[in-house]
C-alpha cells in the first residue's frame, strides 16, 4: 500500500502559528490552569454530583432449616381458597347482576345456613333482616351494607361485592358474586373484624385490626382465571401510620342496588387495572 506523504505547511499557516513559549512560561500557565480547575471543583461540589452511598452489604444466602424434614404433600387446614357456590333461589334477569337484590342474596345465605344465623352465633343478623327496606331509624338497623359493582373477573361485566354485619358480634362478612349462564355464583367469602375494604383492579383488599398497637392485617384476594375464584394472594401485617376509618358505615335501608362511586385515579397506583372504589366497615377488635 502506498503511504501518503505528509502535507506541507503553507507560508500562511506558518505565519499564523503562535510563538513557542519558554519552559518557565509554560510552567506558570500550567499552575494557573490547575488552580482554576481546583476552584471550579470546590464551587461545584454541591451541584448534584454523584456521591458514594457507603459500603455495600454482603449478600447472605438463605439458610434452609431442617433439610431432612419430609415435605408436606397436602394442607393441614382448608381455608376455602377456591370454593365457589351457585346461589340457589336467586335469578339474574338478563344476566345483569345489577338487577339482583343484595338483601335477597343475604337472606338466601341465612336460609341456607340456619346453624350460623337463625339458630346460631349470628341470630341477631337474622332478626334485623326484617328491618331492611324500611325507612328511618328502623331501616338503619338493616345489617346489609351498600353494594358495590366492579368488573373483578375481567369478563367485561360488573360483579357484585357485598358486605353485611354478623351480629351481635363485631364481624363483617365480605362476599363477591359473579354471573355464569344467568346464575349467581359466589366466588369469594370471608369474614373478620374488618376496618376497611377496598377494590383495586381485580382485587379485594381487606384491612383488619391487629392485637399489636400501631399495626393492622392486610389481606388481598385476587381473581384467578384458572381457578375461576378469588384467591388469597397476600396476607401481611403493616404499620397503620395515620390511617383512620369511619367507625359507623352506612347500611342499606332499602333493597335497591346502588352504583359505585366514580373511580379515583390515585387509588390504582399499585394495580394496572381500573381504579378502586372503597367501602368501609366498622372497626373492631380481632
Amino acid at each position: 500500500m502506498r503511504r501518503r506523504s505528509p502535507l506541507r505547511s503553507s507560508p500562511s499557516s506558518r505565519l499564523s502559528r503562535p510563538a513557542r513559549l519558554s519552559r518557565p512560561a509554560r510552567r506558570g500557565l500550567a499552575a494557573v490552569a490547575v488552580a482554576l480547575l481546583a476552584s471550579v471543583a470546590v464551587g461545584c461540589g454541591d451541584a448534584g454530583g454523584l456521591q458514594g452511598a457507603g459500603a455495600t452489604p454482603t449478600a447472605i444466602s438463605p439458610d434452609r432449616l431442617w433439610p431432612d424434614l419430609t415435605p408436606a404433600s397436602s394442607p393441614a387446614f382448608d381455608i376455602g381458597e377456591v370454593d365457589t357456590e351457585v346461589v340457589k333461589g336467586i335469578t339474574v334477569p338478563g344476566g345483569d347482576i345489577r338487577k339482583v337484590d343484595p338483601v335477597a342474596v343475604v337472606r338466601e345465605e341465612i336460609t341456607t345456613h340456619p346453624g350460623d344465623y337463625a339458630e346460631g352465633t349470628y341470630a341477631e343478623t337474622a332478626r334485623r333482616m326484617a328491618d331492611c327496606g324500611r325507612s328511618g331509624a328502623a331501616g338503619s338497623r338493616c345489617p346489609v351494607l351498600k353494594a358495590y359493582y366492579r368488573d373483578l373477573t375481567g369478563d367485561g361485566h360488573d360483579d357484585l361485592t357485598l358486605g353485611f354485619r354478623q351480629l351481635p358480634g363485631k364481624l363483617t362478612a365480605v362476599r363477591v358474586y359473579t354471573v355464569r349462564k344467568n346464575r349467581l355464583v359466589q366466588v369469594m367469602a370471608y369474614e373478620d373484624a374488618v376496618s376497611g375494604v377496598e377494590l383495586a383492579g381485580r382485587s379485594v383488599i381487606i384491612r383488619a385490626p391487629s392485637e399489636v398497637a400501631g399495626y393492622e392485617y392486610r389481606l388481598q384476594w385476587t381473581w384467578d382465571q384458572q381457578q375461576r375464584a378469588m384467591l388469597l394472594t397476600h396476607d401481611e401485617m403493616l404499620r397503620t401510620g395515620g390511617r383512620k376509618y369511619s367507625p359507623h358505615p352506612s347500611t342499606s335501608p332499602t333493597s335497591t342496588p346502588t352504583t359505585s362511586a366514580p373511580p379515583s385515579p390515585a387509588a390504582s397506583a399499585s394495580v394496572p387495572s381500573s381504579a378502586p372504589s372503597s367501602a368501609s366497615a366498622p372497626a373492631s377488635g380481632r
Side-chain angles (χ1 to χ4, degrees):
M1 179 181 295
R2 180 178 296 179
R3 181 177 299 176
R4 292 184 179 181
S5 60
L7 295 177
R8 296 180 181 272
S9 300
S10 63
S12 59
S13 64
R14 289 197 298 270
L15 292 175
S16 60
R17 181 179 299 173
R20 183 184 298 273
L21 298 175
S22 63
R23 181 173 297 177
R26 290 199 302 271
R27 289 178 180 176
L29 287 177
V32 172
V34 170
L36 289 174
L37 289 175
S39 63
V40 171
V42 171
C44 300
D46 296 330
L50 296 177
Q51 296 182 357
T56 302
T58 304
I60 301 176
S61 61
D63 291 329
R64 182 183 176 187
L65 306 185
W66 309 301
D68 297 331
L69 185 66
T70 303
S73 58
S74 60
F77 305 101
D78 179 15
I79 65 173
E81 306 104 318
V82 296
D83 289 349
T84 60
E85 179 182 354
V86 176
V87 183
K88 300 178 180 179
I90 300 294
T91 59
V92 186
D96 186 358
I97 202 168
R98 289 178 176 267
K99 296 181 179 179
V100 175
D101 183 358
V103 173
V105 175
V106 178
R107 285 195 174 115
E108 183 63 30
E109 177 171 335
I110 291 174
T111 302
T112 306
H113 303 281
D116 294 332
Y117 294 97
E119 305 168 2
T121 307
Y122 312 122
E124 182 66 19
T125 295
R127 286 193 293 269
R128 289 198 187 185
M129 290 301 295
D131 295 322
C132 297
R134 302 174 65 181
S135 59
S140 65
R141 290 170 50 84
C142 175
V144 182
L145 304 177
K146 178 181 178 180
Y148 285 84
Y149 299 89
R150 181 69 57 85
D151 180 12
L152 296 174
T153 60
D155 62 357
H157 300 282
D158 284 336
D159 301 298
L160 169 62
T161 302
L162 184 60
F164 61 94
R165 300 291 308 279
Q166 292 184 321
L167 304 169
K170 297 181 179 180
L171 301 183
T172 301
V174 180
R175 308 284 189 258
V176 176
Y177 301 90
T178 189
V179 178
R180 295 177 188 164
K181 298 180 180 180
N182 293 333
R183 296 184 301 175
L184 189 68
V185 180
Q186 178 181 285
V187 294
M188 175 206 161
Y190 184 76
E191 48 271 330
D192 202 345
V194 174
S195 57
V197 181
E198 301 170 358
L199 300 181
R202 303 285 179 258
S203 299
V204 178
I205 301 171
I206 299 177
R207 301 181 186 274
S210 166
E211 300 90 346
V212 181
Y215 288 81
E216 69 178 1
Y217 294 104
R218 180 184 183 274
L219 297 91
Q220 180 172 328
W221 300 75
T222 304
W223 172 255
D224 185 272
Q225 184 61 37
Q226 181 175 355
Q227 298 296 331
R228 303 188 73 187
M230 305 289 290
L231 301 186
L232 181 59
T233 52
H234 292 83
D235 185 354
E236 54 189 347
M237 175 183 271
L238 301 174
R239 289 186 62 88
T240 57
R243 183 181 295 108
K244 296 181 180 180
Y245 294 102
S246 171
H248 301 293
S250 59
T251 56
S252 296
T254 64
S255 61
T256 303
T258 56
T259 57
S260 59
S264 169
S268 60
S270 61
V271 182
S273 302
S274 58
S277 60
S278 62
S280 293
S284 55
R286 176 179 282 249

